[in-house]
Amino acid sequence: MIQDLQREIIRLKKENDICILAHCYQNPEILEVADFTGDSFALSVKASQTTSQTVIMCGVRFMAETVKILSPDKKVILANGEAGCPMAEMMDKDIIAQVRKSYPDYTVVAYINTTSELKTICDVCVTSSSAVKICSKLKNDKILFIPDCNLGDYVAKQLPDKEFKLLNGGCPTHARMSVEDVKKAKEKFPNAKFLVHPECKPEVVEMADYVGSTTGIMDYAKQSSHKEFIIGTENSIVTHLQMQCPDKMFYPLSKDCICHNMKVTTLTDVRNCCKGVGGEEINLNEQTRIKAKACIDKMIELG
């Protein structure tokens, strides 16, 4: 049945000139029919470079919005309209506008995991892999980092000469993992390297052998000569790495590290989108799109 759906999707996307994007946290059966897989911003860039006029995002809403920001002339469809991101939705434009008044001399740095509307009042965007580099290049030494205080804390520790203001926000999935989880995992798998995403709590990040983005974690594990790894990010990465590196062993830091928003998208959702009867088309008013794009353009400018 899965193979039947996959074959139908591949046929439909070719017939209808559709590009399918799938974030790393999607299930394997969806990754297998995607044209591009990876982290959110990299997928948006790939979408802007494809000739296909319809793009399906198998991910969450802010990711589909970023695709639309970079590709305004394309039809962008979120495979499942219920796929949101708690971190992206926990702070809105009005809240941050008020915070800015309290810190008028701070540069506002927005994690890519924010809504397009919130990006319109921020100065520069960052990804988990580029945050340290971008913040280091800012002329202003005072930085208001939103919304993830855990990623912000990690960046601040790499840049002690800069002053960071952090708000109480972040990814509930990554924040769910604890020091106790790390201790138990290391005791059970003493020979394993611990790889962690910087969205985890600072005390968890401090115990890691490697800290990086989702693709950074995957690349490190694939290139390493080490044979065992504890993975401190969404548990789908354990599955993907095990399939790609069958000669190595991968262990989840916690059985509870599951993003339910990412898992809400199914292969049937993708099939329905390809048939033109499912998903949710993403539309942004041009003023919002242009202002949000300025935030992303500044990130690209800074490298």
Side-chain angles (χ1 to χ4, degrees):
M1 183 63 178
I2 289 176
Q3 291 180 350
D4 292 338
L5 282 172
Q6 289 177 321
R7 281 193 287 267
E8 184 179 6
I9 289 168
I10 291 170
R11 175 181 61 80
L12 287 168
K13 74 174 183 177
K14 290 179 179 178
E15 290 177 358
N16 299 320
D17 189 28
I18 295 170
C19 172
I20 298 176
L21 310 174
H23 189 271
C24 294
Y25 294 165
Q26 293 294 304
N27 288 323
E29 63 267 23
I30 292 177
L31 297 183
E32 288 172 355
V33 299
D35 296 285
F36 302 107
T37 64
D39 285 335
S40 61
F41 183 67
L43 291 175
S44 301
V45 174
K46 289 290 187 182
S48 69
Q49 296 169 346
T50 184
T51 58
S52 299
Q53 289 304 299
T54 299
V55 178
I56 297 173
M57 168 56 80
C58 301
V60 295
R61 184 172 298 276
F62 82 82
M63 298 177 185
E65 289 184 352
T66 307
V67 174
K68 189 65 176 180
I69 290 169
L70 298 186
S71 303
D73 296 330
K74 297 183 187 294
K75 182 177 183 179
V76 179
I77 300 171
L78 178 60
N80 188 309
E82 295 298 315
C85 172
M87 172 162 52
E89 296 162 1
M90 64 178 49
M91 295 180 188
D92 61 27
K93 182 178 178 180
D94 293 337
I95 290 173
I96 300 305
Q98 290 299 315
V99 174
R100 288 201 70 148
K101 292 178 181 179
S102 301
Y103 300 94
D105 54 341
Y106 280 64
T107 296
V108 180
V109 176
Y111 190 19
I112 193 74
N113 299 40
T114 45
T115 65
S116 55
E117 186 177 57
L118 181 50
K119 287 183 177 74
T120 63
I121 61 167
C122 297
D123 299 306
V124 62
C125 208
V126 297
T127 64
S128 55
S129 60
S130 71
V132 173
K133 181 178 181 180
I134 299 301
C135 289
S136 71
K137 290 188 174 183
L138 294 175
K139 294 180 179 179
N140 190 358
D141 287 337
K142 295 182 177 181
I143 296 172
L144 173 61
F145 193 100
I146 62 168
D148 191 343
C149 61
N150 291 333
L151 176 60
D153 178 83
Y154 173 74
V155 176
K157 287 175 178 174
Q158 312 309 306
L159 303 172
D161 293 336
K162 290 184 178 287
E163 181 181 340
F164 281 77
K165 173 63 180 176
L166 308 176
L167 303 183
N168 188 22
C171 171
T173 300
H174 283 99
R176 202 173 291 139
M177 292 181 283
S178 67
V179 168
E180 190 61 31
D181 289 326
V182 181
K183 290 179 179 179
K184 288 181 180 178
K186 287 192 171 187
E187 183 179 349
K188 189 174 183 180
F189 309 110
N191 297 319
K193 291 283 188 180
F194 177 38
L195 317 182
V196 71
H197 196 288
E199 288 179 18
C200 290
K201 295 174 181 177
E203 58 267 30
V204 171
V205 172
E206 288 174 3
M207 302 174 75
D209 296 297
Y210 172 81
V211 183
S213 66
T214 305
T215 52
I217 288 173
M218 295 182 75
D219 289 342
Y220 181 95
K222 286 186 281 188
Q223 295 166 14
S224 174
S225 60
H226 212 75
K227 294 297 182 180
E228 294 183 75
F229 303 89
I230 299 165
I231 304 301
T233 189
E234 216 278 343
N235 285 347
S236 57
I237 300 305
V238 175
T239 301
H240 303 329
L241 282 171
Q242 196 67 78
M243 294 173 69
Q244 294 174 28
C245 307
D247 61 326
K248 298 180 179 180
M249 294 299 294
F250 300 93
Y251 315 112
L253 175 58
S254 167
K255 64 181 176 61
D256 296 319
C257 191
I258 298 172
C259 177
H260 300 291
N261 280 279
M262 281 290 185
K263 294 300 183 285
V264 75
T265 300
T266 66
L267 201 59
T268 301
D269 290 332
V270 182
R271 189 271 305 270
N272 290 341
C273 289
C274 289
K275 294 177 69 175
V277 295
E280 179 182 335
E281 183 174 357
I282 301 298
N283 291 297
L284 302 174
N285 70 67
E286 189 63 2
Q287 185 178 15
T288 296
R289 189 192 73 81
I290 291 173
K291 286 184 177 180
K293 186 173 183 295
C295 182
I296 293 173
D297 288 341
K298 186 64 176 178
M299 173 178 69
I300 297 171
E301 176 192 327
L302 294 174

